Amino acid sequence: MTSERSDAYIDDILDFSELPALNNEKSNIVEFFAQTNVLVTGGTGFLGKLLIEKLLRSCPDIKTLYMVVRSKKGKSSEERFKEAFDEVIYERLKREQPNFFNKVVMIEGDAAEEDFGFTPEIKEILMNTNIIFHAAATVRFDEKLRLAVNINVRSTKSMLLFARQLPNLKAYVHVSTAYSHCVRKSIDEKHYDAPIEGDKLISLVDSLDDDKLLKIGPVLLDHWPNNYVVTKATGEYMVLKYGVGLPICIVRPSIIISTAKEPIIAWTNNLYGATGVVMGTALGLLRTLHCKPEVKADIIPADYVVNNIVSAAWGIGNRKLPELEQQSNLSNEDKIPIYNTVSSCQRPITWGQFLELNKFYGISVPSKKVLWYHSIILQRNFFLYHIYSFFLHSIPAVIVDTIAYLIGQKPILVDAYRKIHKFSKVIHYFSTQEWEFRNENVMKLWQKLNSVDRETFYFNMEHLDWHEYHYHHIRGLRMYMLKDPLDTIEEGLVKYRKLRIAHYTILTIIALLLLWMFVSFVSFLWSFCPLAH
């Protein structure tokens, strides 16, 4: 019975049905991409893979897709290029367009290097590029300043300078983040001042060694929370400085989570941010989090972001840029539009609701890989959070690892909680504060799409059902992150019941011990009371 249920669910998420024709209209976006040469940076990342899949599947007349790939962790760029297309998200594309790979060209390059490390020969090959999606970035909040600057700032400048040389550029989309200016509580689709001028920041990292950069880091950050947002904000500054005159725009996604519908339901390969919190709680490792439950969690499904990015390229490519440039009082936003791709404007959800929905749908399909019973305390007070963390994380980790060591097993929990606490330290800035976003440009872009494009490139958050989303979301994490198929649900339920019994048994023992200690303490005090004699 379980196997049949699993097969039915997988058949559902791998829906290969064709989209219906709507009023015999043609897709304006598909026509825009027809016979174009597209360059994508960051194509091996979570968002980049989905972007490439969407472009190849929904815009089948693309002539060439250039994909920038670097070597990493002992693997050559060629190996990583081939492995990227082994993901399950490409199964639908392989079925619908078996020869798609013929139009994909790997370009060896590294965003951390000057000019991406492109040779003159590579630059010559890329001179026929018509559309650029610059999605390469380091998304690590605690990334070292030098690497963060090289990838998020220097590569942005390099790609913009290259784009200015292209004779037939139709559109350029720079992917940033909605939190690039998180020091402001109200974030409109506007250009804001960067913490430091981009070229000065590049010169700074070029002239100082790592030790000196580490020392000036706090001064440079000032009231900014981490190197990630500082460099993303500075990257936007570079777009404004070097992108004026190009058909260019900036897309700012908020916290990206697994897909809602396409190319398959609930896919992710990314453990950063909100997904990491859900995984930690689902496994029973994350027991407390510094978080305000009533604060809005501006999370958004990855496929909505991808569709917005592709649509933004069409939107900017159809602007009459020369006429705009002739206007005397042109604002920065008219020169380079910004799209805040967020959920809070149309379909807000709080951190408390987000975690509760994951728990509600998660405990019905627990993984056999869970380590403990699902229970998490969201603590708004930073001091109390550390107390909870000490008793719920650190002490159990030491006890379990000590037992593991004594019986000849490898201790893992102390190291695991060290990583969890490091993760919690960087995410609490976003789980305890709230921002007011505006996304009028996103909604105006949506209004410009015809009925076919609204179906094919759907990104309007208004009709997203968070309950339906989380039903699939937790199953997707189980399948794609834990590599635990739905066939093992019964096995997971049996294990989870045992953990629940153990959990409440321990709580009962602790409660009895505390009661005994309290009674003993009262008895001790009573023995000194005159009335007791």
Side-chain angles (χ1 to χ4, degrees):
M1 187 68 180
T2 304
S3 179
E4 293 177 3
R5 178 176 57 196
S6 176
D7 291 342
Y9 179 76
I10 293 173
D11 287 342
D12 179 52
I13 64 175
L14 291 173
D15 181 11
F16 297 116
S17 60
E18 297 292 333
L19 292 172
L22 301 173
N23 302 324
N24 295 318
E25 279 188 301
K26 292 184 178 179
S27 168
N28 292 326
I29 295 178
V30 172
E31 289 187 353
F32 174 76
F33 279 91
Q35 299 306 307
T36 59
N37 300 302
V38 180
L39 172 63
V40 178
T41 70
T44 57
F46 169 52
L47 189 66
K49 287 180 179 179
L50 289 167
L51 174 60
I52 287 176
E53 191 280 338
K54 180 65 177 182
L55 287 169
L56 293 172
R57 176 169 53 85
S58 296
C59 303
D61 295 326
I62 285 177
K63 185 177 181 181
T64 307
L65 191 145
Y66 298 113
M67 179 178 172
V68 180
V69 185
R70 66 183 175 96
S71 57
K72 182 181 180 183
K73 295 181 180 179
K75 293 184 179 180
S76 67
S77 53
E78 290 83 2
E79 290 174 317
R80 294 188 68 223
F81 173 65
K82 293 177 181 178
E83 287 180 0
F85 292 93
D86 290 335
E87 294 278 8
V88 66
I89 58 170
Y90 289 103
E91 291 303 315
R92 178 176 176 181
L93 176 62
K94 291 175 182 177
R95 180 184 175 112
E96 294 178 1
Q97 301 176 47
N99 299 320
F100 80 92
F101 204 70
N102 295 335
K103 64 178 66 175
V104 183
V105 177
M106 189 207 76
I107 300 295
E108 187 167 6
D110 189 340
E113 296 183 10
E114 185 74 32
D115 290 335
F116 277 82
F118 289 165
T119 63
E121 292 75 18
I122 288 177
K123 289 183 178 180
E124 183 61 32
I125 291 173
L126 295 175
M127 288 305 291
N128 66 353
T129 299
N130 306 117
I131 301 169
I132 295 176
F133 293 97
H134 181 45
T138 173
V139 297
R140 292 174 60 94
F141 289 164
D142 58 346
E143 189 67 83
K144 290 184 177 180
L145 183 60
R146 185 183 308 281
L147 186 57
V149 170
N150 284 340
I151 297 178
N152 293 347
V153 182
R154 191 193 302 273
S155 75
T156 299
K157 176 182 177 180
S158 298
M159 188 54 64
L160 288 165
L161 292 177
F162 174 71
R164 302 192 75 85
Q165 303 173 39
L166 299 177
N168 298 303
L169 182 68
K170 296 176 62 177
Y172 185 124
V173 179
H174 174 82
V175 181
S176 185
T177 170
Y179 296 96
S180 56
H181 295 278
C182 60
V183 292
R184 308 175 64 93
K185 290 305 176 187
S186 179
I187 302 176
D188 204 342
E189 293 168 311
K190 293 182 178 180
H191 294 271
Y192 298 109
D193 292 336
I196 183 172
E197 198 272 345
D199 287 306
K200 288 182 179 179
L201 183 57
I202 293 175
S203 298
L204 187 67
V205 299
D206 286 344
S207 59
L208 299 178
D209 58 32
D210 289 338
D211 290 337
K212 291 180 179 177
L213 281 178
L214 189 62
K215 290 179 181 178
I216 70 165
V219 178
L220 181 63
L221 284 179
D222 192 16
H223 54 297
W224 296 71
N226 52 61
N227 289 339
Y228 171 67
V229 293
V230 162
T231 52
K232 292 300 284 185
T234 310
E236 288 188 8
Y237 168 87
M238 299 303 262
V239 173
L240 185 59
K241 181 175 181 179
Y242 293 100
V244 173
L246 296 177
I248 186 170
C249 66
I250 296 173
V251 174
R252 291 178 180 158
S254 54
I255 302 171
I256 305 175
I257 51 177
S258 56
T259 58
K261 294 182 179 179
E262 59 168 339
I264 57 177
I265 296 174
W267 181 81
T268 185
N269 67 353
N270 177 27
L271 265 180
Y272 286 112
T275 304
V277 173
V278 176
M279 283 293 294
T281 55
L283 289 172
L285 282 174
L286 187 62
R287 316 292 291 172
T288 185
L289 182 70
H290 185 213
C291 174
K292 294 181 179 179
E294 74 279 7
V295 164
K296 283 184 284 190
D298 211 303
I299 53 177
I300 186 166
D303 46 337
Y304 280 66
V305 176
V306 167
N307 287 336
N308 198 165
I309 289 172
V310 176
S311 300
W314 166 79
I316 197 67
N318 280 280
R319 288 207 322 171
K320 297 180 179 180
L321 192 63
E323 292 182 13
L324 282 174
E325 288 301 298
Q326 292 172 8
Q327 297 178 18
S328 58
N329 58 345
L330 206 61
S331 69
N332 289 335
E333 288 70 37
D334 286 328
K335 295 174 184 175
I336 301 178
I338 294 176
Y339 299 96
N340 284 343
T341 309
V342 298
S343 64
S344 56
C345 297
Q346 274 71 45
R347 189 62 62 195
I349 184 172
T350 67
W351 281 107
Q353 292 170 333
F354 171 67
L355 291 173
E356 187 59 34
L357 283 171
N358 278 293
K359 177 183 178 180
F360 178 79
Y361 291 108
I363 60 177
S364 63
V365 289
S367 169
K368 65 178 182 179
K369 298 181 180 181
V370 295
L371 301 174
W372 196 243
Y373 183 69
H374 184 293
S375 177
I376 184 170
I377 299 173
L378 301 182
Q379 180 51 249
R380 65 178 61 249
N381 183 280
F382 195 54
F383 176 73
L384 290 178
Y385 158 72
H386 279 290
I387 293 177
Y388 280 120
S389 181
F390 178 73
F391 284 103
L392 297 176
H393 291 170
S394 301
I395 289 181
V398 171
I399 293 173
V400 172
D401 274 5
T402 300
I403 295 173
Y405 176 78
L406 292 175
I407 63 176
Q409 300 294 322
K410 182 181 179 181
I412 60 172
L413 270 190
V414 170
D415 184 58
Y417 276 117
R418 187 179 295 112
K419 294 177 181 177
I420 287 174
H421 292 157
K422 184 179 180 181
F423 168 77
S424 299
K425 183 179 179 181
V426 297
I427 198 176
H428 82 94
Y429 181 89
F430 302 95
S431 60
T432 58
Q433 300 187 70
E434 189 169 279
W435 288 264
E436 180 185 352
F437 293 102
R438 297 176 67 90
N439 70 340
E440 282 84 355
N441 286 348
V442 171
M443 299 316 297
K444 288 178 181 177
L445 178 63
W446 173 254
Q447 294 300 324
K448 292 179 182 178
L449 268 57
N450 66 21
S451 58
V452 174
D453 286 330
R454 287 188 183 185
E455 184 77 20
T456 309
F457 302 95
Y458 192 91
F459 59 84
N460 187 348
M461 286 291 297
E462 184 177 355
H463 301 296
L464 180 70
D465 184 333
W466 282 121
H467 279 271
E468 179 184 359
Y469 175 84
H470 283 91
Y471 172 86
H472 296 292
H473 177 239
I474 201 71
R475 287 163 170 77
L477 293 181
R478 192 184 197 277
M479 293 172 60
Y480 304 122
M481 296 305 298
L482 292 178
K483 308 300 181 184
D484 190 5
L486 298 182
D487 305 60
T488 66
I489 287 178
E490 294 300 332
E491 187 179 345
L493 285 169
V494 170
K495 183 177 181 180
Y496 196 69
R497 292 188 195 105
K498 293 178 180 178
L499 290 174
R500 181 170 57 186
I501 293 172
H503 172 77
Y504 284 110
T505 300
I506 292 173
L507 287 181
T508 301
I509 292 172
I510 292 174
L512 290 173
L513 283 173
L514 290 174
L515 179 61
W516 174 78
M517 291 171 63
F518 175 75
V519 171
S520 299
F521 181 68
V522 171
S523 299
F524 174 76
L525 292 179
W526 179 252
S527 66
F528 290 95
C529 180
L531 295 176
H533 303 284

